[in-house]
């Protein structure tokens, strides 16, 4: 299958042989435990969990339980025995799907009648007999220990309801047992007015441009251990405990010792992260950047039982201090990533407990408060916008000095890893985040103001990250407000340099008031999604960032340059070596026919996809650039791979991505 039972970001890949040169510089293995790069007055950054970095075993506050709806006098064993019977061979449940559905129903019954401690204990006992996939060492550490997921899952189970297909969705997307639930059709009349003719008019280029920086997936690792195993076979490499089980190596005999400047399978050590900023003046005039967008993900890819609220707060705090110190008065417009929360990816709708006060009862308010207060402190958004963000999952809209409206939304509400997306599954907007987006776009349309949408988890591409129902509604929103109002959409998350094209629907997509959002017309391109490359090399990528040239009035993208650091060479560095990688217009204008005055818009990129289908070297070029020219890039040398890639680029929703031909290669 395309995705893991729990589809966390990246599949772990690792080399079976050492890739790095043996010519190590002494600086690459300098064991000094604080940054050596960075002179702009930012905070000290630490290696190996030293200094103020919170320890691995730090525990976190847990959410208050819901009042049990139907208290009963049943014992924990009553529920445990049912699940044990369901999962046992010889029960009346024969398929994995049936076992999953029936067990989930028992958990629902327990959650609405028992104290949270009983649900947590049941999870551990059931894990003990089934070993279902978790991101922790034991069931204890996942559900009641440092990971502490039990009280969250108890809330989810209490809210689940058969009538909205929640069990099937949970059993398919989280456990890969049942078949995929159908994508809902969208009744657009419930959300917005029909598209007026003016909304299809593309504004004329102004001929003037500004520069904008796109940063994504920073993933600073303050626990990065210089000299440890960088070529490891489990999450996370470059840690004191990392080993390569095939090579029988570890910290004492590392097959690739972790350079202090980073490696392909590790998150960003301090000096790599800081070097991204340090490299910029050698490529462009930083003072000419009008503003920057940061499409999320600050925290390292630790397992659940190594993460704590203290650790997430620490990472978020030092990261925004670094960003402010490095970028000075150039504003940064951030969005919240799935790793910028605790537990990873978890966000609940504000009304989950049935009370209506915006944000007041949200168990993640501590995080939205922290982030929004830093964004306001740094002068990037106003007090009123920060207040909106603190009560609406980090979402805000801000008009830049140039007149562009930036609308930042929390895409965890369509991310498969956010367990709270598995109740009321057929509601594409349980949190209201998409209604907020619509409200903002309507205001822009009324004023003739152009908007960018920024978010972390991409809405489509291969479909493995984004749930079809909310991204179906998102697609309809884009089709309604592009190309006149939406000038661009920006994501991160995959760590790769990728594109997503949005199209208008086919005439056949509408049946009465219901829209089949998979029925799109490739001859009608509307707008672009740009997926920014990551600073972190994880997993098997190089580090990178992008500079855009943007039309100063229409805010269409007119140019893109990517810069990267080839981390497979990091042991030979005395400091990270950053290089220019490619210019999008000169790389992809393969016929030489796209006018220099025209933006790199959805029409241009659709032409590029047609070229990819007939020009294998072009699709291989795209494939290599996806990883920022990593030495471990997988081949894309067949027509089948080209077809799949083009399908992904043309997929702007989860449902569209799932419909692409899938073949796990080798291509
Ligand atoms: C080490 O450096 C020497 C001299 O620069 C070079 O000839 C040799 O190929 C390098 N070895 C590796 C493994 O890169
Ligand atoms: C990192 O910490 C571990 C203990 O967790 C220690 O064994 C190792 O030597 C430390 N690494 C460095 C570079 O100080
Ligand atoms: C965490 O680990 C440290 C040793 O690394 C130990 O001293 C401390 O007691 C532990 N704390 C908890 C809460 O387990
Ligand atoms: C639970 O047991 C107590 C004492 O045996 C009884 O008073 C109470 O009504 C029972 N509650 C339920 C919900 O059955
Ligand atoms: C059920 O049977 C399968 C295959 O025969 C076996 O691998 C598994 O452990 C059994 N499960 C239980 C709970 O007995
Ligand atoms: C299977 O179903 C039959 C008939 O409904 C029932 O009598 C039996 O107890 C069930 N077996 C198990 C293991 O649940
Ligand atoms: C789960 O298994 C572990 C290891 O066998 C054991 O120590 C623990 O008590 C078990 N937990 C429960 C709740 O049964
Ligand atoms: C499930 O949803 C149905 C229909 O909305 C509702 O009648 C029922 O009360 C819900 N059940 C639970 C346990 O929430
Ligand atoms: C579920 O979503 C529907 C709209 O699809 C909404 O009317 C209903 O209130 C929601 N139910 C819950 C429990 O939030
Ligand atoms: C349109 O919807 C109606 C009612 O839901 C259904 O019976 C019909 O088959 C649909 N038509 C098409 C072309 O999908
Ligand atoms: C892209 O730009 C070209 C040239 O300016 C224009 O003709 C076309 O309509 C634009 N396409 C979109 C989707 O904005
Ligand atoms: C190049 O020309 C071919 C043939 O007309 C066309 O299919 C393709 O879309 C064009 N590619 C670009 C990038 O313009």
């Amino acid at each position: 299958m395309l995705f893991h039972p729990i589809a966390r970001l990246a599949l772990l890949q690792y080399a079976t042989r050492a890739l790095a040169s043996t010519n190590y510089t002494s600086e690459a293995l300098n064991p000094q435990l604080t940054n050596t790069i960075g002179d702009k007055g930012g905070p000290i950054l630490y290696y190996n969990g030293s200094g103020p970095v919170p320890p691995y075993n730090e525990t976190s506050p847990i959410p208050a339980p819901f009042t049990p709806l139907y208290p009963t006098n049943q014992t924990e064993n009553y529920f445990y025995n049912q699940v044990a019977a369901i999962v046992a061979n010889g029960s009346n449940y024969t398929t994995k799907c049936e076992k999953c559905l029936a067990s989930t129903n028992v958990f629902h019954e327990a959650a609405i009648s028992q104290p949270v401690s009983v649900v947590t204990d049941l999870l551990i006992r059931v894990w003990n007999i089934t070993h279902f996939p978790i991101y922790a060492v034991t069931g204890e550490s996942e559900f009641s220990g440092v990971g502490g997921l039990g009280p969250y899952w108890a809330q989810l189970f209490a809210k689940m309801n058969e009538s909205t297909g929640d069990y099937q969705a949970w059993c398919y997307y989280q456990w890969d047992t049942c078949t995929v639930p159908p994508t809902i059709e969208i009744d657009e009349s419930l959300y917005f007015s029909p598209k007026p003719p003016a909304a299809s008019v593309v504004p004329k280029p102004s001929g003037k441009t500004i520069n904008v920086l796109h940063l994504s997936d920073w993933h600073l690792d303050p626990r990065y251990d210089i000299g440890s195993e960088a070529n490891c076979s489990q999450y996370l490499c470059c840690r004191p405990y990392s080993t390569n089980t095939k090579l029988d190596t570890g910290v004492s005999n590392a097959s690739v010792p972790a350079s202090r400047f980073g490696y392909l399978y590790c998150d960003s050590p301090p000096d790599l992260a800081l070097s991204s900023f340090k490299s910029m003046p050698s490529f462009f005039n930083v003072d000419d950047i009008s503003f920057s967008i940061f499409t999320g993900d600050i925290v390292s890819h630790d397992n659940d039982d190594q993460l704590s609220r203290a650790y997430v707060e620490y990472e978020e705090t030092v990261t925004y201090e670094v960003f402010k110190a490095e970028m000075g008065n150039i504003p940064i417009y951030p969005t919240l990533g799935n790793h910028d929360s605790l537990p990873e990816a978890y966000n609940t709708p504000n009304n989950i407990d049935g009370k209506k006060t915006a944000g007041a009862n949200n168990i993640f308010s501590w995080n939205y408060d922290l982030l929004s207060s830093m964004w306001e402190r740094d002068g990037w958004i106003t007090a009123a916008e920060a207040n909106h963000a603190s009560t609406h999952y980090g979402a805000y809209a801000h008009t830049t000095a140039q007149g562009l409206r930036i609308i930042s939304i929390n895409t965890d509400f369509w991310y498969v890893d956010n367990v709270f997306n598995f109740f009321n599954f057929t509601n594409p907007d349980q949190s209201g985040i998409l209604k907020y987006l619509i409200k903002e776009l309507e205001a822009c349309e009324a004023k003739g103001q152009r908007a960018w949408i920024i978010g972390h988890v991409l809405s489509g591409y291969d479909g493995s990250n984004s749930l079809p129902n909310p991204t179906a509604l998102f697609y309809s929103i884009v089709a309604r407000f592009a190309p006149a109002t939406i000038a661009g959409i920006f994501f991160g998350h995959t760590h790769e340099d990728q594109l997503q094209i949005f199209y208008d629907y086919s005439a056949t997509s509408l049946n009465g008031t219901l829209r089949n959002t998979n029925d799109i017309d490739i001859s009608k391109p509307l707008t672009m999604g740009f997926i920014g490359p990551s600073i972190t090399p994880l997993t098997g990528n190089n580090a990178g960032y992008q500079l855009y040239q943007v039309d100063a009035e229409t805010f269409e993208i007119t140019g893109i340059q990517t810069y990267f650091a080839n981390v497979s060479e990091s042991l030979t560095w005395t400091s990270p070596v950053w290089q220019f990688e490619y210019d999008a217009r000169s790389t992809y204008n393969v016929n030489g026919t796209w006018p220099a005055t025209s933006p790199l818009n959805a029409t241009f990129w659709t032409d590029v996809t047609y070229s990819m289908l007939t020009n294998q070297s072009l699709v291989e070029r795209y494939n290599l650039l996806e990883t920022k020219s990593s030495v471990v890039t997988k081949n894309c040398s067949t027509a089948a791979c080209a077809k799949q890639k083009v399908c992904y680029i043309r997929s702007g929703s989860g449902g569209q991505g799932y419909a692409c031909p899938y073949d796990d290669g080798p291509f």
Side-chain angles (χ1 to χ4, degrees):
M1 276 308 291
L2 202 52
F3 56 92
H4 271 189
I6 299 177
R8 194 152 304 195
L9 166 71
L11 310 185
L12 189 71
Q13 322 159 348
Y14 62 96
T16 48
R17 66 191 164 82
L19 290 159
S21 138
T22 50
N23 288 345
Y24 310 155
T25 63
S26 57
E27 203 42 37
L29 293 176
N30 170 1
Q32 184 182 321
L33 292 180
T34 54
N35 59 297
T36 59
I37 292 174
D39 46 20
K40 293 274 181 72
I44 295 169
L45 297 183
Y46 294 84
Y47 282 83
N48 211 20
S50 59
V53 179
Y56 286 101
N57 61 0
E58 183 86 36
T59 54
S60 309
I62 55 170
F66 293 160
T67 310
L69 288 175
Y70 310 107
T72 73
N73 285 344
Q74 301 296 0
T75 62
E76 182 177 318
N77 279 341
Y78 166 83
F79 295 100
Y80 173 74
N81 291 338
Q82 284 188 64
V83 180
I86 289 164
V87 300
N89 297 332
S91 77
N92 285 342
Y93 301 97
T94 51
T95 67
K96 284 183 177 174
C97 176
E98 287 168 341
K99 288 174 197 245
C100 180
L101 294 173
S103 305
T104 306
N105 189 50
V106 176
F107 274 104
H108 170 71
E109 295 293 329
I112 60 173
S113 66
Q114 302 294 311
V116 165
S117 59
V118 170
V119 179
T120 297
D121 217 41
L122 281 171
L123 282 164
I124 297 166
R125 290 172 74 182
V126 171
W127 187 83
N128 273 359
I129 56 168
T130 58
H131 284 78
F132 58 82
I134 54 175
Y135 279 92
V137 178
T138 64
E140 261 95 357
S141 62
E142 180 77 320
F143 295 111
S144 69
V146 170
L149 302 189
Y152 297 94
W153 287 31
Q155 294 198 340
L156 168 69
F157 290 138
K159 298 291 292 185
M160 281 180 152
N161 191 322
E162 193 84 79
S163 73
T164 43
D166 301 343
Y167 297 171
Q168 185 189 345
W170 171 252
C171 289
Y172 173 71
Y173 287 105
Q174 292 293 308
W175 310 109
D176 198 13
T177 55
C178 300
T179 54
V180 61
T183 304
I184 58 164
E185 303 202 317
I186 300 292
D187 184 346
E188 294 171 352
S189 68
L190 297 176
Y191 298 97
F192 46 75
S193 60
K195 188 172 186 171
S200 297
V201 178
V202 186
K204 292 267 176 305
S206 73
K208 289 171 292 194
T209 60
I210 57 172
N211 288 317
V212 172
L213 179 70
H214 187 174
L215 299 172
S216 202
D217 294 82
W218 162 259
H219 289 292
L220 174 70
D221 187 0
R223 292 168 169 172
Y224 187 103
D225 183 19
I226 298 153
S228 64
E229 180 57 88
N231 177 34
C232 82
S233 43
Q234 68 284 99
Y235 269 112
L236 190 58
C237 299
C238 298
R239 289 291 181 82
Y241 51 81
S242 306
T243 59
N244 187 311
T245 50
K246 277 194 188 145
L247 302 174
D248 199 20
T249 54
V251 69
S252 60
N253 62 343
S255 68
V256 178
S259 161
R260 71 177 292 116
F261 306 122
Y263 194 60
L264 295 163
Y265 308 115
C266 308
D267 269 332
S268 313
D271 279 336
L272 177 66
L274 290 165
S275 74
S276 56
F277 292 105
K278 180 114 181 156
S279 71
M280 290 174 192
S282 57
F283 302 124
F284 46 79
N285 184 350
V286 177
D287 294 335
D288 278 352
I289 296 174
S290 294
F291 60 85
S292 174
I293 55 172
F294 169 58
T295 44
D297 267 10
I298 288 169
V299 180
S300 54
H301 290 82
D302 284 62
N303 277 332
D304 297 326
D305 58 356
Q306 300 176 319
L307 289 170
S308 59
R309 186 182 294 190
Y311 186 72
V312 170
E313 286 173 341
Y314 170 79
E315 284 253 35
E316 292 176 346
T317 303
V318 295
T319 294
Y320 284 114
E321 284 171 8
V322 169
F323 284 8
K324 181 64 185 174
E326 295 290 336
M327 297 304 287
N329 290 329
I330 300 166
I332 300 177
Y333 302 111
T335 197
L336 185 139
N338 59 297
H339 285 275
D340 309 334
S341 61
L342 183 89
E344 185 266 336
Y346 287 19
N347 288 260
T348 61
N350 284 331
N351 64 0
I352 190 169
D353 62 357
K355 298 176 191 152
K356 288 277 188 275
T357 326
N361 310 296
N362 197 302
I363 53 180
F364 301 107
S365 291
W366 62 272
N367 193 34
Y368 311 134
D369 290 348
L370 173 66
L371 291 169
S372 60
S373 67
M374 293 190 294
W375 300 340
E376 181 192 346
R377 174 201 66 194
D378 292 339
W380 304 333
I381 63 173
T382 67
E385 289 157 4
N387 183 53
H388 187 276
S390 75
T391 50
H392 295 84
Y393 330 107
Y396 65 87
H398 177 89
T399 297
T400 71
Q402 299 75 26
L404 171 68
R405 191 75 170 162
I406 291 187
I407 308 168
S408 173
I409 58 169
N410 183 337
T411 54
D412 284 336
F413 290 108
W414 66 51
Y415 185 38
V416 289
D417 257 15
N418 179 10
V419 298
F420 293 104
N421 291 330
F422 294 98
F423 78 90
N424 218 3
F425 190 73
T426 47
N427 181 349
D429 191 27
Q430 179 73 18
S431 68
I433 200 79
L434 295 176
K435 285 195 195 77
Y436 167 69
L437 174 63
I438 294 163
K439 196 177 81 151
E440 280 295 331
L441 290 168
E442 283 170 343
C444 288
E445 183 177 78
K447 281 189 268 187
Q449 184 178 22
R450 301 211 92 204
W452 279 9
I453 300 167
I454 65 172
H456 174 72
V457 179
L458 66 183
S459 59
Y461 212 70
D462 68 13
S464 63
N465 290 289
S466 47
L467 291 170
N469 293 345
T471 53
L473 176 55
F474 180 73
Y475 205 93
S476 279
I477 295 168
V478 173
R480 165 65 182 79
F481 292 96
T485 298
I486 298 172
I489 301 171
F490 301 86
F491 298 123
H493 187 65
T494 60
H495 300 182
E496 299 194 29
D497 176 2
Q498 294 168 322
L499 300 160
Q500 242 186 232
I501 309 173
F502 292 85
Y503 296 93
D504 207 349
Y505 292 118
S506 305
T508 51
S509 65
L510 210 53
N511 180 358
T513 59
L514 292 179
R515 180 81 76 184
N516 169 4
T517 60
N518 284 351
D519 188 3
I520 57 174
D521 183 347
I522 305 298
S523 73
K524 294 178 182 163
L526 289 179
T527 194
M528 284 305 299
F530 296 98
I531 297 142
S534 58
I535 299 290
T536 185
L538 193 85
T539 289
N541 299 301
N542 285 322
Y545 58 82
Q546 285 180 327
L547 187 74
Y548 297 129
Q549 286 74 51
V550 177
D551 185 293
E553 284 169 19
T554 67
F555 303 105
E556 301 270 332
I557 300 292
T558 63
I560 312 171
Q561 295 82 41
T562 307
Y563 300 93
F564 80 114
N566 181 351
V567 295
S568 68
E569 296 173 350
S570 62
L571 282 165
T572 66
W573 291 343
T574 51
S575 70
V577 176
W578 285 81
Q579 310 170 53
F580 168 76
E581 189 189 31
Y582 78 105
D583 174 81
R585 187 182 289 266
S586 49
T587 300
Y588 288 109
N589 182 13
V590 287
N591 299 335
T593 47
W594 193 251
T597 50
S598 295
L600 301 180
N601 64 18
T603 305
F604 170 73
W605 290 111
T606 298
D607 288 350
V608 173
T609 58
Y610 281 114
S611 287
M612 284 181 179
L613 291 172
T614 55
N615 176 346
Q616 196 67 37
S617 67
L618 186 65
V619 81
E620 290 204 60
R621 187 82 209 274
Y622 174 83
N623 183 59
L624 181 65
L625 296 173
E626 280 192 302
T627 66
K628 292 150 276 178
S629 303
S630 163
V631 293
V632 295
T633 306
K634 289 186 186 126
N635 279 344
C636 184
S637 56
T638 63
C641 182
K643 210 172 149 198
Q644 184 196 61
K645 224 32 124 184
V646 165
C647 187
Y648 288 167
I649 294 171
R650 292 173 175 178
S651 294
S653 69
Q656 291 171 18
Y658 271 104
C660 287
Y662 184 69
D663 175 350
D664 44 7
F667 285 115

